[in-house]
Amino acid sequence: MVRILVRSQNEFYKLGLMSVAEKLITPQHHFTCITDKETDKGLATALPPPNLIFLENMAIINVYDKEAKQGAELPYTRVYITFNTSSLLQEEVSGLVGKIIKFSSMDYKQLLRDYHFCKIMSRNNAHLSSKESRILALMGQGHDTEKISRILNCSQGNIYTHRRNLIKKLGIINRLDLYKYVLTLKNFCLQDNIFLSL
């Protein structure tokens, strides 16, 4: 069962994305949208955590391990997918959302065996190196370039190069969008993360 959360200040974006998702969801899926008002009142905590969260600049898939203990609420890992629909046609958005919904319905072992997911992971420009992932996670924790260079024991120039590669690989337009992406990570980051750009 897939639980989907669309979180945005832009109501048109939220309604449009919900409409696309509703068209793609098959009867075995369950579509749930938690509004910001429900979150403020604390009603969202009574619901099970969503498998998929759409934000304005990314989609976050909470991947669970079905063999884990019953009642485990934390995801096994999270997949962060750069999600920018501003320059896409409706058919392209629909195809992208369809792939993301398909990935979100799988558990960790199924996801790693899935042909399409493995194909995306094998593309050089689609997934980040371990050092780039670590830098992104450290940025998400609020560290600046100087502190990251001290933590990783490398030069600031090296960090700048990795940041430039992050922007390119994640399909982000500029540093400002990268910082918006990183601010979102601050709320969601786990130890085991997968960063992708479809």
Side-chain angles (χ1 to χ4, degrees), residues 6-26:
V6 180
R7 182 172 282 164
S8 172
Q9 298 295 324
N10 183 340
E11 289 297 319
F12 293 112
Y13 175 83
K14 194 185 298 186
L15 291 172
L17 202 53
M18 287 189 312
S19 172
V20 168
E22 284 174 343
K23 289 177 185 172
L24 295 170
I25 291 176
T26 58

Side-chain angles (χ1 to χ4, degrees), residues 141-155:
Q141 294 170 6
H143 299 295
D144 63 356
T145 307
E146 184 180 333
K147 189 161 185 178
I148 293 171
S149 68
R150 277 188 273 132
I151 291 169
L152 297 178
N153 198 20
C154 60
S155 70

Side-chain angles (χ1 to χ4, degrees), residues 120-171:
I120 290 167
M121 288 292 288
S122 68
R123 290 190 336 218
N124 288 336
N125 65 337
H127 98 91
L128 306 179
S129 69
S130 60
K131 193 157 199 172
E132 289 166 341
S133 294
R134 180 80 176 123
I135 289 170
L136 194 61
L138 288 169
M139 288 173 73
Q141 294 170 6
H143 299 295
D144 63 356
T145 307
E146 184 180 333
K147 189 161 185 178
I148 293 171
S149 68
R150 277 188 273 132
I151 291 169
L152 297 178
N153 198 20
C154 60
S155 70
Q156 284 187 17
N158 198 349
I159 302 300
Y160 292 135
T161 301
H162 284 301
R163 186 178 66 193
R164 186 178 58 239
N165 291 341
L166 283 169
I167 290 170
K168 200 181 306 178
K169 286 183 178 182
L170 292 173

Side-chain angles (χ1 to χ4, degrees), residues 6 9 15 23 34 38 42 55 57 59 75 83 86 88 110 117-118 124 148 151-153 193 197:
V6 180
Q9 298 295 324
L15 291 172
K23 289 177 185 172
I34 304 168
E38 290 173 329
L55 304 170
N57 57 351
F83 188 74
S86 60
L88 299 178
Q110 288 174 321
F117 188 78
C118 291
N124 288 336
I148 293 171
I151 291 169
L152 297 178
N153 198 20
N193 298 299
S197 176

